[in-house]
Amino acid sequence: MEITKLAQIYKERNVYHIEFLDLSETRWNGSREHRIPQGGIPLYSGKPVNEKHESGVEILLSGKAHKFLMKWKLISDSIIMARFLTKLRKLVVIQCYALTEQATTEEKHSFYETLENTLRNVKRSEITMIMGDLYAKVVAYNKRFENTTEDTA
């Protein structure tokens, strides 16, 4: 991601007081958490340092949101998970970027299997938020949640 585009994203996050923002295909290598001059703490996950700059996901936190961050975990270069403490329950945010059509069927299967295993490790008592670009594959995993989105009006 170009530095000028990234700076604009950080600026807009500050203008609209967004507490956490997900970014896909950031193309950063490695994984880390650090403070940035524009205000905020990015948590990012990408390919190993010596590999090509592609894929990668990031959760950009405000300083306020960072105070409630319990832990975060690198799952893969396209999945990252962060757990926050809220007044009601723990909130688990999973940021992911699904593989595109250029990926092999085996690679796609592996991505969704990793995502499913990540979801299995989230306790039912925790609020779960999946963000990112899933290319509409999330429908296949909707079975156990189909009653949670019913219109109650």
Side-chain angles (χ1 to χ4, degrees), residues 39-54:
I41 297 98
L43 312 174
Y44 67 85
S45 168
K47 291 203 176 287
V49 176
N50 57 350
E51 289 189 21
K52 188 176 179 181
H53 289 258
E54 60 184 16

Side-chain angles (χ1 to χ4, degrees), residues 89-115:
R89 291 188 258 170
K90 292 177 185 166
L91 168 67
V92 176
V93 176
I94 300 169
Q95 161 59 8
C96 50
Y97 181 68
L99 301 171
T100 60
E101 288 302 314
Q102 290 91 0
T104 66
T105 303
E106 185 178 292
E107 289 170 326
K108 291 176 192 175
H109 179 74
S110 176
F111 168 82
Y112 287 105
E113 190 174 285
T114 302
L115 179 57

Side-chain angles (χ1 to χ4, degrees), residues 9-119:
I9 289 169
Y10 292 164
K11 179 182 173 186
E12 294 298 319
R13 188 204 60 81
N14 290 336
V15 168
Y16 293 104
H17 307 288
I18 298 170
E19 299 300 329
F20 59 89
L21 180 69
D22 69 310
L23 301 171
S24 296
E25 202 171 355
T26 56
R27 299 177 187 261
W28 299 116
N29 282 18
S31 66
R32 87 182 231 198
E33 168 185 343
H34 63 97
R35 288 201 176 271
I36 55 173
Q38 297 88 346
I41 297 98
L43 312 174
Y44 67 85
S45 168
K47 291 203 176 287
V49 176
N50 57 350
E51 289 189 21
K52 188 176 179 181
H53 289 258
E54 60 184 16
S55 67
V57 288
E58 178 179 324
I59 300 174
L60 177 61
L61 303 176
S62 69
K64 182 179 177 182
H66 189 260
K67 290 178 186 175
F68 297 100
L69 177 67
M70 296 173 63
K71 65 180 179 177
W72 68 283
K73 184 178 180 184
L74 154 73
I75 307 297
S76 72
D77 64 327
S78 54
I79 302 173
I80 190 172
M81 180 174 76
R83 184 170 271 115
F84 299 89
L85 185 60
T86 70
K87 288 181 181 179
L88 299 175
R89 291 188 258 170
K90 292 177 185 166
L91 168 67
V92 176
V93 176
I94 300 169
Q95 161 59 8
C96 50
Y97 181 68
L99 301 171
T100 60
E101 288 302 314
Q102 290 91 0
T104 66
T105 303
E106 185 178 292
E107 289 170 326
K108 291 176 192 175
H109 179 74
S110 176
F111 168 82
Y112 287 105
E113 190 174 285
T114 302
L115 179 57
E116 190 169 357
N117 288 335
T118 302
L119 286 168

